[in-house]
Amino acid sequence: MRRREFLAVAATVALTPATGFAAVPWVILHKDPNCGCCSSWGDAFSKVGFSVHTVEEPDMDQVKQRLKVPPSVQACHTAELDGYFLEGHVPIAAVRTLLDERPPLAGLAVAGMPLGSLGMGGSPEPYDVMAIPRDGGDMYVYLSFKPN
C-alpha cells in the first residue's frame, strides 16, 4: 500500500464510545484525471456513507496489473475496498452484498461503460456484475441489473 493510500485509510477510522474504533467503509478510487464518469461513481459512494479517496493515476494499466484485474472486464476506473477490487461501474447494492457476504473473491467488475449504470447517464441497459474469484477460477455473474 502506498503512503497516500495508507493515509486515506487511516483517516477513515472514527472513534466511537461504545466500541472504540469503528471503520467507516472506505474506497480508494483510481482514475484517469480526465474521466468525469469515474468521479460521478465515487460521488455516489460518498453520498451513501463511504469515504472515497480519489487517486488520479498517470498509468491505469499498472493499477489493473497490480490488482490482477482480468483484461476481459477492464473498464475506465478501478477501486479498492477492504481487500477487494471494484472494476468499472459496479453498483452500490453489489458492493453492500459483497461486504455482507465476504466471499473469497478478488473483486467485482462491470465491463465497459453500460448506459444507466452508476456514474453513467442515459437510459439504463441491462448489464452483469461479474465476480472474479481469488483462486483464479472462472468468473461468474454475481448480480444482474435489468432496468424496469
Side-chain angles (χ1 to χ4, degrees):
M1 183 179 292
R2 294 185 297 210
R3 181 178 180 273
R4 63 184 165 181
E5 293 167 349
F6 172 77
L7 293 173
V9 172
T12 64
V13 178
L15 185 60
T16 60
T19 60
F21 286 99
V24 172
W26 57 269
V27 176
I28 299 172
L29 171 60
H30 303 276
K31 68 180 264 320
D32 180 282
N34 301 310
C35 186
C37 69
C38 303
S39 297
S40 295
W41 183 89
D43 291 345
F45 272 81
S46 291
K47 287 178 184 171
V48 296
F50 287 80
S51 180
V52 179
H53 175 69
T54 301
V55 180
E56 294 190 350
E57 297 286 355
D59 186 356
M60 285 299 297
D61 289 336
Q62 184 179 42
V63 172
K64 294 170 192 310
Q65 287 177 344
R66 177 176 59 81
L67 295 171
K68 298 183 173 98
V69 178
S72 64
V73 294
Q74 290 184 3
C76 59
H77 62 267
T78 306
E80 295 179 79
L81 169 71
D82 208 17
Y84 295 103
F85 69 75
L86 305 172
E87 181 68 13
H89 293 269
V90 177
I92 294 167
V95 173
R96 286 194 168 143
T97 301
L98 177 76
L99 294 175
D100 286 345
E101 295 177 349
R102 301 284 179 177
L105 298 175
L108 299 177
V110 172
M113 299 169 75
L115 289 176
S117 61
L118 187 62
M120 294 292 295
S123 297
E125 62 184 22
Y127 65 90
D128 291 329
V129 177
M130 301 303 294
I132 294 83
R134 262 182 230 266
D135 66 6
D138 292 336
M139 286 184 270
Y140 60 91
V141 175
Y142 189 73
L143 176 142
S144 289
F145 175 80
K146 295 179 178 44
N148 296 336

